[in-house]
Amino acid sequence: MAIARPLEHFPQWMHSDHVPASNAGHGAPSTDSSFSAESRFGAEDSAASRADSEDTSTCVSSEDLGDTNVLPLLRVSDDSGLFEEGAQASWYLMLMGYVGKGYSGFQKSQIPGDFETIEGNLLSAMKKIGVSSSEIEKAGTNMSSRTDKGVHAANLFYQFKTRPLRDEDKFINALNHSLSSQGDHAVRVFNIVNAKDLGLRPDFDVKASDLCQSRSYWYLVPSFAMAPVPSHATTCDTSMRKHMRSFRMSQKQLADVEELLNRFLGEHCFSAFTAREKVQYYKQRKFGTSAQVYTVQCSIKEQFGVEFLQVQFVASRYLYHQIRNMMGFALLVFHGRLDRDSNFNAVFEGGALPSKVEIPLAPAEPLLLLRPTFRDNIPAGSILNQMLENKQSEAFLHNTILPHVCRASVEPIVHFMTSLLQSTVRWLGRQHSVTGTKA
């Protein structure tokens, strides 16, 4: 357990999410197609869930971010020199990252003019440098993961089909310039590989999502949220904010948080951690609502005078809003003083909480897709894993994404915690009035 190290001094994170030997007892990662459930679900998630959000903020401007210039930008006025002429189109997998603020998730909406998404803007930037939109639409696209509204990604592989590239570095630079020129300052491309270089056939029908063994996410929350909060700090957001800046978590408190969050380890039914209307969807698609959580790791970081708890989840797959509901449930159990054994057992069995309360959905701003991990028992998986060891993506993570996450997550968490604690105080008061005890 690490205490109070600045974010810029994070340890090497590239290898931190491989399934550790100590978790072997939970079972080896499966290789069936259910791993791509998250990706396939995204196609039908579109307008309904996006319209439910009250956040109408625009996309991030260059002034809102830290150092985004981790790659040189090459201005390309047309597509001359980027593509092989007369050659048959090839599949490519492109490594990219982004800050999710202001976007309605990754996947392009099927409704014209609906919501601004990462993929929609990416395709627009690709079209400007000569990538054929008709070729992409005909062949379709795929991603190693999809993210929801407001969620960020440090490493995501995007799969598409285009004419063979003459110079991959030139293509990357041209695409990054095209993205910046249309205002997408927080979306960057780091690397690209032709399917044939992965040992796959040019016409291969394997999806990037199906090659994934696991996916790693970080949830960065001010550490005060996972510790007892004095009653004077629960009266309003201002009091909560003042308490947040002065709070520092002890080793004993961190150990208690780890004990709580480690209860998610192993294979469980997570139907209680997704939207109710989505449970039937998963059952109809035969994906089910079970998933295997391989790793839960906690550490403490400090940035902008605030101490953050960094929680890393590594799992085979994730349901819609699963991590945000997991964090909301953990905060509810902690601050509602709920019995850990009975309440965790109840939700893993797909039932209601014994306490008869609803699981609150934690904010999206602290959530970050760190990276996928691919099956290394095939050449393609090993190559893609090696591509993830990328200095440019690591620089983008530390210089752009993390500073933004730490700034943007404070107010949503403060507001969330004020509402949660005031609700639990009222709930605890009702419980004690029924039992005749004092709160």
Side-chain angles (χ1 to χ4, degrees), residues 349-371:
E349 291 171 1
L353 295 176
S355 52
K356 308 299 182 185
V357 293
E358 295 291 328
I359 296 176
L361 181 65
E365 288 82 356
L367 185 57
L368 157 67
L369 169 64
L370 184 63
R371 59 166 284 170

PDB file of all heavy atoms in Angstrom, residues 349-371:
ATOM      1  N   GLU A 349     -26.466 -12.472  -5.330  1.00  0.00           N
ATOM      2  CA  GLU A 349     -27.527 -13.437  -5.644  1.00  0.00           C
ATOM      3  C   GLU A 349     -28.613 -12.820  -6.510  1.00  0.00           C
ATOM      4  O   GLU A 349     -29.596 -13.475  -6.844  1.00  0.00           O
ATOM      5  CB  GLU A 349     -28.134 -13.977  -4.346  1.00  0.00           C
ATOM      6  CG  GLU A 349     -27.171 -14.872  -3.563  1.00  0.00           C
ATOM      7  CD  GLU A 349     -27.705 -15.226  -2.180  1.00  0.00           C
ATOM      8  OE1 GLU A 349     -28.832 -14.773  -1.852  1.00  0.00           O
ATOM      9  OE2 GLU A 349     -27.007 -15.947  -1.438  1.00  0.00           O
ATOM     10  N   GLY A 350     -28.416 -11.551  -6.864  1.00  0.00           N
ATOM     11  CA  GLY A 350     -29.369 -10.876  -7.742  1.00  0.00           C
ATOM     12  C   GLY A 350     -30.591 -10.352  -7.040  1.00  0.00           C
ATOM     13  O   GLY A 350     -31.557  -9.933  -7.690  1.00  0.00           O
ATOM     14  N   GLY A 351     -30.580 -10.351  -5.694  1.00  0.00           N
ATOM     15  CA  GLY A 351     -31.742  -9.901  -4.939  1.00  0.00           C
ATOM     16  C   GLY A 351     -31.614  -8.468  -4.471  1.00  0.00           C
ATOM     17  O   GLY A 351     -30.634  -7.779  -4.743  1.00  0.00           O
ATOM     18  N   ALA A 352     -32.626  -8.027  -3.745  1.00  0.00           N
ATOM     19  CA  ALA A 352     -32.629  -6.681  -3.183  1.00  0.00           C
ATOM     20  C   ALA A 352     -31.767  -6.638  -1.933  1.00  0.00           C
ATOM     21  O   ALA A 352     -31.504  -7.660  -1.291  1.00  0.00           O
ATOM     22  CB  ALA A 352     -34.055  -6.254  -2.850  1.00  0.00           C
ATOM     23  N   LEU A 353     -31.313  -5.451  -1.583  1.00  0.00           N
ATOM     24  CA  LEU A 353     -30.534  -5.288  -0.364  1.00  0.00           C
ATOM     25  C   LEU A 353     -31.427  -5.507   0.860  1.00  0.00           C
ATOM     26  O   LEU A 353     -32.577  -5.057   0.881  1.00  0.00           O
ATOM     27  CB  LEU A 353     -29.934  -3.883  -0.295  1.00  0.00           C
ATOM     28  CG  LEU A 353     -28.904  -3.511  -1.364  1.00  0.00           C
ATOM     29  CD1 LEU A 353     -28.496  -2.051  -1.206  1.00  0.00           C
ATOM     30  CD2 LEU A 353     -27.681  -4.393  -1.258  1.00  0.00           C
ATOM     31  N   PRO A 354     -30.909  -6.191   1.884  1.00  0.00           N
ATOM     32  CA  PRO A 354     -31.685  -6.355   3.113  1.00  0.00           C
ATOM     33  C   PRO A 354     -32.108  -5.012   3.709  1.00  0.00           C
ATOM     34  O   PRO A 354     -33.131  -4.910   4.380  1.00  0.00           O
ATOM     35  CB  PRO A 354     -30.711  -7.090   4.045  1.00  0.00           C
ATOM     36  CG  PRO A 354     -29.762  -7.788   3.125  1.00  0.00           C
ATOM     37  CD  PRO A 354     -29.621  -6.882   1.950  1.00  0.00           C
ATOM     38  N   SER A 355     -31.313  -3.977   3.445  1.00  0.00           N
ATOM     39  CA  SER A 355     -31.599  -2.653   3.991  1.00  0.00           C
ATOM     40  C   SER A 355     -32.715  -1.930   3.236  1.00  0.00           C
ATOM     41  O   SER A 355     -33.135  -0.854   3.639  1.00  0.00           O
ATOM     42  CB  SER A 355     -30.326  -1.803   3.950  1.00  0.00           C
ATOM     43  OG  SER A 355     -29.777  -1.818   2.650  1.00  0.00           O
ATOM     44  N   LYS A 356     -33.170  -2.512   2.104  1.00  0.00           N
ATOM     45  CA  LYS A 356     -34.260  -1.943   1.314  1.00  0.00           C
ATOM     46  C   LYS A 356     -33.923  -0.572   0.734  1.00  0.00           C
ATOM     47  O   LYS A 356     -34.799   0.269   0.545  1.00  0.00           O
ATOM     48  CB  LYS A 356     -35.551  -1.839   2.163  1.00  0.00           C
ATOM     49  CG  LYS A 356     -35.968  -3.123   2.855  1.00  0.00           C
ATOM     50  CD  LYS A 356     -36.266  -4.240   1.860  1.00  0.00           C
ATOM     51  CE  LYS A 356     -36.722  -5.495   2.582  1.00  0.00           C
ATOM     52  NZ  LYS A 356     -36.901  -6.638   1.653  1.00  0.00           N
ATOM     53  N   VAL A 357     -32.664  -0.322   0.452  1.00  0.00           N
ATOM     54  CA  VAL A 357     -32.270   0.938  -0.161  1.00  0.00           C
ATOM     55  C   VAL A 357     -31.741   0.647  -1.564  1.00  0.00           C
ATOM     56  O   VAL A 357     -31.345  -0.473  -1.880  1.00  0.00           O
ATOM     57  CB  VAL A 357     -31.201   1.679   0.671  1.00  0.00           C
ATOM     58  CG1 VAL A 357     -31.782   2.135   1.990  1.00  0.00           C
ATOM     59  CG2 VAL A 357     -29.980   0.807   0.893  1.00  0.00           C
ATOM     60  N   GLU A 358     -31.729   1.672  -2.397  1.00  0.00           N
ATOM     61  CA  GLU A 358     -31.263   1.542  -3.767  1.00  0.00           C
ATOM     62  C   GLU A 358     -29.760   1.812  -3.844  1.00  0.00           C
ATOM     63  O   GLU A 358     -29.216   2.623  -3.098  1.00  0.00           O
ATOM     64  CB  GLU A 358     -31.996   2.530  -4.670  1.00  0.00           C
ATOM     65  CG  GLU A 358     -33.493   2.271  -4.799  1.00  0.00           C
ATOM     66  CD  GLU A 358     -33.797   0.999  -5.569  1.00  0.00           C
ATOM     67  OE1 GLU A 358     -33.005   0.666  -6.482  1.00  0.00           O
ATOM     68  OE2 GLU A 358     -34.805   0.338  -5.252  1.00  0.00           O
ATOM     69  N   ILE A 359     -29.088   1.135  -4.779  1.00  0.00           N
ATOM     70  CA  ILE A 359     -27.660   1.387  -5.012  1.00  0.00           C
ATOM     71  C   ILE A 359     -27.520   2.699  -5.779  1.00  0.00           C
ATOM     72  O   ILE A 359     -28.080   2.848  -6.866  1.00  0.00           O
ATOM     73  CB  ILE A 359     -27.023   0.245  -5.816  1.00  0.00           C
ATOM     74  CG1 ILE A 359     -27.062  -1.056  -5.012  1.00  0.00           C
ATOM     75  CG2 ILE A 359     -25.583   0.586  -6.192  1.00  0.00           C
ATOM     76  CD1 ILE A 359     -26.532  -2.270  -5.760  1.00  0.00           C
ATOM     77  N   PRO A 360     -26.788   3.667  -5.237  1.00  0.00           N
ATOM     78  CA  PRO A 360     -26.612   4.941  -5.947  1.00  0.00           C
ATOM     79  C   PRO A 360     -25.562   4.813  -7.046  1.00  0.00           C
ATOM     80  O   PRO A 360     -24.567   4.104  -6.895  1.00  0.00           O
ATOM     81  CB  PRO A 360     -26.144   5.897  -4.844  1.00  0.00           C
ATOM     82  CG  PRO A 360     -25.422   5.007  -3.869  1.00  0.00           C
ATOM     83  CD  PRO A 360     -26.131   3.678  -3.908  1.00  0.00           C
ATOM     84  N   LEU A 361     -25.779   5.503  -8.151  1.00  0.00           N
ATOM     85  CA  LEU A 361     -24.840   5.497  -9.270  1.00  0.00           C
ATOM     86  C   LEU A 361     -23.785   6.572  -9.041  1.00  0.00           C
ATOM     87  O   LEU A 361     -24.092   7.766  -9.038  1.00  0.00           O
ATOM     88  CB  LEU A 361     -25.581   5.753 -10.587  1.00  0.00           C
ATOM     89  CG  LEU A 361     -24.745   5.750 -11.863  1.00  0.00           C
ATOM     90  CD1 LEU A 361     -24.159   4.361 -12.118  1.00  0.00           C
ATOM     91  CD2 LEU A 361     -25.595   6.199 -13.059  1.00  0.00           C
ATOM     92  N   ALA A 362     -22.533   6.153  -8.843  1.00  0.00           N
ATOM     93  CA  ALA A 362     -21.450   7.103  -8.606  1.00  0.00           C
ATOM     94  C   ALA A 362     -21.153   7.889  -9.884  1.00  0.00           C
ATOM     95  O   ALA A 362     -21.435   7.436 -10.994  1.00  0.00           O
ATOM     96  CB  ALA A 362     -20.198   6.359  -8.126  1.00  0.00           C
ATOM     97  N   PRO A 363     -20.558   9.076  -9.766  1.00  0.00           N
ATOM     98  CA  PRO A 363     -20.297   9.929 -10.938  1.00  0.00           C
ATOM     99  C   PRO A 363     -19.394   9.270 -11.979  1.00  0.00           C
ATOM    100  O   PRO A 363     -18.566   8.413 -11.662  1.00  0.00           O
ATOM    101  CB  PRO A 363     -19.622  11.162 -10.327  1.00  0.00           C
ATOM    102  CG  PRO A 363     -20.083  11.191  -8.911  1.00  0.00           C
ATOM    103  CD  PRO A 363     -20.207   9.757  -8.502  1.00  0.00           C
ATOM    104  N   ALA A 364     -19.533   9.714 -13.231  1.00  0.00           N
ATOM    105  CA  ALA A 364     -18.735   9.177 -14.334  1.00  0.00           C
ATOM    106  C   ALA A 364     -17.360   9.808 -14.427  1.00  0.00           C
ATOM    107  O   ALA A 364     -16.415   9.179 -14.915  1.00  0.00           O
ATOM    108  CB  ALA A 364     -19.478   9.394 -15.654  1.00  0.00           C
ATOM    109  N   GLU A 365     -17.206  11.063 -13.967  1.00  0.00           N
ATOM    110  CA  GLU A 365     -15.967  11.804 -14.196  1.00  0.00           C
ATOM    111  C   GLU A 365     -14.714  11.112 -13.665  1.00  0.00           C
ATOM    112  O   GLU A 365     -13.650  11.196 -14.290  1.00  0.00           O
ATOM    113  CB  GLU A 365     -16.066  13.209 -13.589  1.00  0.00           C
ATOM    114  CG  GLU A 365     -16.979  14.153 -14.331  1.00  0.00           C
ATOM    115  CD  GLU A 365     -18.446  13.984 -13.964  1.00  0.00           C
ATOM    116  OE1 GLU A 365     -18.764  13.056 -13.163  1.00  0.00           O
ATOM    117  OE2 GLU A 365     -19.274  14.752 -14.457  1.00  0.00           O
ATOM    118  N   PRO A 366     -14.765  10.399 -12.526  1.00  0.00           N
ATOM    119  CA  PRO A 366     -13.542   9.749 -12.024  1.00  0.00           C
ATOM    120  C   PRO A 366     -13.157   8.461 -12.735  1.00  0.00           C
ATOM    121  O   PRO A 366     -12.116   7.888 -12.430  1.00  0.00           O
ATOM    122  CB  PRO A 366     -13.896   9.443 -10.551  1.00  0.00           C
ATOM    123  CG  PRO A 366     -15.078  10.291 -10.226  1.00  0.00           C
ATOM    124  CD  PRO A 366     -15.830  10.394 -11.513  1.00  0.00           C
ATOM    125  N   LEU A 367     -13.976   7.993 -13.689  1.00  0.00           N
ATOM    126  CA  LEU A 367     -13.776   6.674 -14.290  1.00  0.00           C
ATOM    127  C   LEU A 367     -12.912   6.765 -15.544  1.00  0.00           C
ATOM    128  O   LEU A 367     -13.163   7.575 -16.434  1.00  0.00           O
ATOM    129  CB  LEU A 367     -15.122   6.039 -14.614  1.00  0.00           C
ATOM    130  CG  LEU A 367     -15.090   4.598 -15.144  1.00  0.00           C
ATOM    131  CD1 LEU A 367     -14.391   3.660 -14.164  1.00  0.00           C
ATOM    132  CD2 LEU A 367     -16.507   4.112 -15.431  1.00  0.00           C
ATOM    133  N   LEU A 368     -11.927   5.894 -15.628  1.00  0.00           N
ATOM    134  CA  LEU A 368     -10.943   5.901 -16.705  1.00  0.00           C
ATOM    135  C   LEU A 368     -10.641   4.476 -17.144  1.00  0.00           C
ATOM    136  O   LEU A 368     -10.290   3.629 -16.323  1.00  0.00           O
ATOM    137  CB  LEU A 368      -9.661   6.587 -16.204  1.00  0.00           C
ATOM    138  CG  LEU A 368      -8.331   6.283 -16.894  1.00  0.00           C
ATOM    139  CD1 LEU A 368      -8.339   6.817 -18.318  1.00  0.00           C
ATOM    140  CD2 LEU A 368      -7.168   6.880 -16.110  1.00  0.00           C
ATOM    141  N   LEU A 369     -10.820   4.211 -18.442  1.00  0.00           N
ATOM    142  CA  LEU A 369     -10.380   2.943 -19.028  1.00  0.00           C
ATOM    143  C   LEU A 369      -8.871   2.997 -19.177  1.00  0.00           C
ATOM    144  O   LEU A 369      -8.350   3.786 -19.960  1.00  0.00           O
ATOM    145  CB  LEU A 369     -11.039   2.718 -20.386  1.00  0.00           C
ATOM    146  CG  LEU A 369     -10.474   1.557 -21.226  1.00  0.00           C
ATOM    147  CD1 LEU A 369     -10.696   0.215 -20.542  1.00  0.00           C
ATOM    148  CD2 LEU A 369     -11.092   1.562 -22.633  1.00  0.00           C
ATOM    149  N   LEU A 370      -8.161   2.183 -18.412  1.00  0.00           N
ATOM    150  CA  LEU A 370      -6.712   2.202 -18.449  1.00  0.00           C
ATOM    151  C   LEU A 370      -6.174   1.472 -19.671  1.00  0.00           C
ATOM    152  O   LEU A 370      -5.364   2.010 -20.420  1.00  0.00           O
ATOM    153  CB  LEU A 370      -6.151   1.568 -17.173  1.00  0.00           C
ATOM    154  CG  LEU A 370      -4.637   1.591 -17.017  1.00  0.00           C
ATOM    155  CD1 LEU A 370      -4.123   3.023 -16.945  1.00  0.00           C
ATOM    156  CD2 LEU A 370      -4.219   0.806 -15.769  1.00  0.00           C
ATOM    157  N   ARG A 371      -6.624   0.244 -19.879  1.00  0.00           N
ATOM    158  CA  ARG A 371      -6.139  -0.534 -21.017  1.00  0.00           C
ATOM    159  C   ARG A 371      -6.870  -1.868 -21.112  1.00  0.00           C
ATOM    160  O   ARG A 371      -7.391  -2.386 -20.111  1.00  0.00           O
ATOM    161  CB  ARG A 371      -4.645  -0.827 -20.877  1.00  0.00           C
ATOM    162  CG  ARG A 371      -4.271  -1.605 -19.625  1.00  0.00           C
ATOM    163  CD  ARG A 371      -2.851  -2.157 -19.689  1.00  0.00           C
ATOM    164  NE  ARG A 371      -2.775  -3.312 -20.541  1.00  0.00           N
ATOM    165  CZ  ARG A 371      -1.616  -3.872 -20.926  1.00  0.00           C
ATOM    166  NH1 ARG A 371      -0.457  -3.354 -20.532  1.00  0.00           N
ATOM    167  NH2 ARG A 371      -1.599  -4.922 -21.713  1.00  0.00           N
TER     168      ARG A 371
END
